[in-house]
Amino acid sequence: MARDSLMIIGGQWGDEGKGKVVDLLSAGFAAVVRYNGGNNAGHTVRYADRRFALHLVPSGIIHDGVTCYLASGMVVDPSGLVAEMDTLMAEGVAIDGRIVLSPRATLILPTHRALDGAREGTLGSGKIGTTGRGIGPAYQDRAQRRGLRAHVLADPQLRARALALMQQHNRELELLFDAAPVDLDDALAELEGAAARLAPTLGEVGPALRRHRAAGEAVLFEGAQGVMLDLAWGTYPYVTSSSSLPGFAAASCGIGPKLLGPVIGVMKAYATRVGGGPFPSELEDEVGVRLRERGAEYGTTTGRPRRCGWFDAVAARFAVEVAGIDAVALTKLDVLDGLETIRVATAYRLPDGTTIDTFPADAELAEQAEPVLTELEGWSAPTAGVVREAELPPAAAAYLRFLEETLGLPIVILSTGPRREETLIRGDSALARELRALIAGDAPPAAL
Ligand code: GDP
Ligand code: IMO
Ligand code: MG
């Protein structure tokens, strides 16, 4: 293995295909680390005829030799994690000793889920469209310094500590939201059941990653969500409650920035978002419906239909800058097969007639932005499953060149289907050569 560490992050509004890319590259890494978000994420891995939907467990789990870490900056729903471990075991994945949960990660309790739903219920048409997993309320408790952290899963005082916090949550549900309180006997039973299973997984993440590096082993960081959902740099307030930027991995793992690697930003060949918020290149016509159906754009976590639109180069260039993306993994090119014309948003027109080409800070302004679209020729020969550059239809190759020029970055990974093998590593850069070497070392997992 050549590379010390590598970062895979979402370059749009989430669901770009990070799970596929992480799985593809995992064989070359000893450790795969989730460092932000919680089970709002849904990362799909397709292996042969199997489909895994991962929410908390890093997408490297399908590879036997990989240890999977959940770092301190995550919010972790204990029963959600246990359910995911059970599903993996039922699928024949050997997970024993391969999942390590930071004792500093914040716990999501059943009352956080109730608070998430209750708050959304008060927002009417301004609702964020959260995943309902309790993400915001748990991060709120973390910042408010009253949250429970994962080390309590091994604490004899777990019951008393969880009860005290959940009683406060129940008072808030009733007083602030006029909502029904959560049955705390059920909630405690759920928590205690999960705690017994998770206590053995507790372990410090930073020291473990330093040990991997000292042994010459490589670490892969798996971002969740995407830059445009980042708490500070996304379309606030229509964002998630944690950072989706690669720099957060250092803070979350407690390792300092020097252990972070180059950043691959995963982007779809078009754009999607789930939930509310500005989406200037959204298509509310039959082309949008076509992208949704061909791209199977339904949420991995909630099953909600995803909003679809043209590739937004304004948002993507912004993401490249704020996240320091070094190279792009472009996914789902095949979904554009058969379209006569393809468009890309290259600027926004504002109601006062001005044109801008950077993403505005004010979501209300972004909401009013009309996309300025550049037209490109579509292609009729399929790109689906193509794994050789020379087999791409000329118009598809021209589309890739256009995106590379617009973003000022190489598309180093091209994905033409959901499966691992439907992938092309492009060019002859040092990074491309390393990625090829990583994939060449891949062996089918013994258990599958
Ligand atoms: P993530 O959250 O970034 O990991 O992405 P999701 O798993 O939520 O959504 C991506 C979806 O697209 C999954 O269903 C993948 O199996 C699928 N997918 C990934 N790459 C490709 C591709 O190149 N072509 C097609 N057709 N589907 C893809
Ligand atoms: P992955 O990792 C797409 C969106 C929700 C909502 C907003 C806030 O699979 O790309 P939250 O539950 O986090 O408070 O919801 O963020 N969202 C995602 N959208 N992919 C995700 O993760 C997402 N995680 C959160 O739809 O709009
Ligand atoms: Mg997803």
Side-chain angles (χ1 to χ4, degrees):
M1 165 56 217
R3 168 69 53 213
D4 298 345
S5 62
L6 188 67
M7 325 215 43
I8 306 294
I9 68 152
Q12 295 163 315
W13 280 277
D15 302 329
E16 299 90 348
K18 299 174 292 291
K20 167 174 171 168
V21 174
V22 169
D23 168 66
L24 173 76
L25 302 176
S26 286
F29 292 83
V32 179
V33 188
R34 273 281 307 274
Y35 57 87
N36 67 322
N39 57 349
N40 47 352
H43 295 182
T44 313
V45 173
R46 292 280 297 271
Y47 181 76
D49 57 346
R50 317 274 279 277
R51 180 179 177 278
F52 299 89
L54 298 157
H55 303 284
L56 288 162
V57 176
S59 303
I61 194 74
I62 315 303
H63 293 267
D64 293 334
V66 175
T67 307
C68 290
Y69 295 91
L70 285 75
S72 81
M74 290 186 72
V75 284
V76 175
D77 184 324
S79 50
L81 181 52
V82 166
E84 209 168 312
M85 287 162 55
D86 285 342
T87 306
L88 285 164
M89 285 191 303
E91 289 283 342
V93 180
I95 61 166
D96 256 10
R98 296 183 50 222
I99 296 178
V100 178
L101 170 62
S102 167
R104 291 175 169 80
T106 301
L107 296 185
I108 299 183
L109 302 173
T111 41
H112 286 124
R113 297 196 294 262
L115 283 165
D116 194 357
R119 176 155 194 277
E120 283 281 273
T122 64
L123 293 176
S125 63
K127 75 174 185 198
I128 292 165
T130 73
T131 57
R133 298 295 187 268
I135 305 295
Y139 274 118
Q140 228 174 316
D141 275 1
R142 180 185 196 241
Q144 211 172 12
R145 294 151 295 178
R146 69 170 189 180
L148 292 186
R149 307 207 298 174
H151 59 82
V152 302
L153 296 170
D155 185 336
Q157 296 301 314
L158 170 67
R159 194 181 175 86
R161 296 181 66 174
L163 185 62
L165 181 56
M166 290 197 292
Q167 281 170 336
Q168 282 187 51
H169 289 157
N170 266 351
R171 279 196 293 279
E172 288 164 17
L173 279 165
E174 290 177 288
L175 293 174
L176 299 179
F177 300 109
D178 201 17
V182 170
D183 182 314
L184 295 186
D185 287 333
D186 287 354
L188 286 168
E190 178 185 316
L191 181 63
E192 287 181 316
R197 293 279 303 281
L198 296 181
T201 70
L202 291 171
E204 292 286 1
V205 173
L209 298 186
R210 281 191 285 276
R211 279 196 299 276
H212 282 298
R213 291 298 306 114
E217 293 171 347
V219 178
L220 182 63
F221 295 92
E222 175 179 359
Q225 289 82 53
V227 175
M228 300 311 288
L229 289 171
D230 177 87
L231 179 58
W233 295 93
T235 50
Y236 189 92
Y238 299 96
V239 292
T240 190
S241 299
S242 73
S243 170
S244 325
L245 302 188
F248 185 58
S252 176
C253 299
I255 50 171
K258 285 196 287 291
L259 290 193
L260 305 185
V263 181
I264 296 185
V266 187
M267 299 187 189
K268 285 182 205 187
Y270 49 99
T272 64
R273 93 172 283 175
V274 211
F279 184 5
S281 67
E282 181 169 16
L283 286 163
E284 285 169 295
D285 58 4
E286 68 282 3
V287 183
V289 173
R290 181 192 163 114
L291 292 177
R292 182 175 311 124
E293 296 314 318
R294 280 196 65 118
E297 296 295 357
Y298 293 88
T300 308
T301 297
T302 57
R304 289 179 291 177
R306 295 175 182 149
R307 300 157 65 192
C308 297
W310 297 119
F311 188 90
D312 185 335
V314 179
R317 275 194 305 254
F318 176 80
V320 165
E321 283 171 14
V322 302
I325 294 172
D326 295 298
V328 173
L330 194 80
T331 61
K332 304 192 106 166
L333 184 69
D334 53 295
V335 175
L336 300 180
D337 288 356
L339 285 173
E340 228 165 84
T341 306
I342 291 168
R343 295 183 173 84
V344 173
T346 44
Y348 300 151
R349 199 169 296 112
L350 299 178
D352 66 2
T354 55
T355 301
I356 54 170
D357 62 2
T358 62
F359 208 90
D362 183 352
E364 274 182 40
L365 200 57
E367 194 78 68
Q368 295 164 20
E370 287 295 326
V372 176
L373 297 168
T374 299
E375 266 190 28
L376 293 107
E377 204 185 313
W379 52 88
S380 49
T383 67
V386 166
V387 293
R388 260 189 275 272
E389 190 81 26
E391 286 169 17
L392 288 173
Y399 183 56
L400 301 184
R401 274 197 304 279
F402 176 82
L403 294 182
E404 289 185 318
E405 276 163 26
T406 308
L407 300 179
L409 288 180
I411 295 171
V412 70
I413 298 176
L414 177 67
S415 172
T416 56
R419 291 164 194 281
R420 219 184 253 179
E421 53 281 8
E422 291 169 318
T423 317
L424 168 59
I425 309 292
R426 303 178 69 239
D428 197 34
S429 62
L431 183 59
R433 287 199 299 271
E434 283 175 24
L435 296 178
R436 279 195 196 96
L438 284 177
I439 296 171
D442 196 1
L448 299 180

